[in-house]
């Protein structure tokens, strides 16, 4: 039985003042059997650590450099994130892929860099609306996963998470139906089963894309959906906690 995971993605939001109440409310409000994490902007990692250390809630970042150190102005390495006791790091979020040029190859390198630093990468994959309408959702998601498998191998996924996030559902209020999401999750798990039954059965597959308190339970009730990656709703404690409770 896979333990559910709910991870918040704060994106480019927050302030020291606003985060204080949110982190405290999440710390105090999380109960139950699911793992919960928040992926905060880099400058707030120390604040998240101070607020959450000693609780069941873990924290992480939204991106990581593929490089370990050196002349890469603006980058943040995996070991720097490990210095702040991060557990998770997102790699290949669709906003990184589409606005910052993260190719499949770069995402694969970031995935590996995260693992070298002892972090758990959350590999984000998903198709655009045009790709879904063209009937190539499976191809796109498989291609994104193959790049990482080719670089890191299937066993690397024993300590990783995959998040299926249809681009058309992120921040749009348009959620994939539980059936649509389950179909892609099953396809992803089947891909891993080809290489390792054991890795496939233990791999946590999150769904992300306009998950809200009122649709979380149905999504999380699907056999291959092991939790969620939550954007907008992770910024409102009451909403995020309701989603965690649904998991
Ligand atoms: C995300 O940022 O990964 C996300 C799923 O956002 P939202 O929940 O707002 O759609």
């Amino acid at each position: 039985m896979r333990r559910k995971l709910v991870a918040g993605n704060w994106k480019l939001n927050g302030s020291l003042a606003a985060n204080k109440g949110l982190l405290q409310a999440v710390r105090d409000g999380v109960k139950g059997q699911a793992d919960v994490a928040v992926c905060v902007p880099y400058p707030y990692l120390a604040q998240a650590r101070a607020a959450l250390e000693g609780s069941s809630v873990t924290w992480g970042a939204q991106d990581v450099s593929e490089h370990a150190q050196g002349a890469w102005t603006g980058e943040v390495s995996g070991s720097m994130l490990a210095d702040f006791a991060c557990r998770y790091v997102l790699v290949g979020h669709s906003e990184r892929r589409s606005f910052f040029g993260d190719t499949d190859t770069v995402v694969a390198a970031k995935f590996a860099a995260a693992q070298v630093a002892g972090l758990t990468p959350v590999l984000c994959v998903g198709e655009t609306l045009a790709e879904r309408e063209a009937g190539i959702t499976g191809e796109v998601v498989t291609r994104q996963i193959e790049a990482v498998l080719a670089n890191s191998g299937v066993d690397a996924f024993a300590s990783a998470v995959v998040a299926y996030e249809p681009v058309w559902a992120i921040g749009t209020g348009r959620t994939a139906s539980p059936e649509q999401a389950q179909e892609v999750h099953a396809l992803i798990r089947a891909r891993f089963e080809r290489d390792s039954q054991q890795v496939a059965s233990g791999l946590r597959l999150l769904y992300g894309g306009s998950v809200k308190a009122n649709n979380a339970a149905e999504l999380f009730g699907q056999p291959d959906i092991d939790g969620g990656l939550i954007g907008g709703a992770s910024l409102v404690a009451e909403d995020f906690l309701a989603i965690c409770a649904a998991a």
Side-chain angles (χ1 to χ4, degrees), residues 9 11 93 95 165 169-172 208-212 229-233:
N9 172 14
K11 310 195 189 199
H93 191 280
E95 288 152 19
E165 298 206 298
I170 298 178
T172 59
S210 298
V211 177
K212 305 290 175 207
L229 181 54
I230 318 298

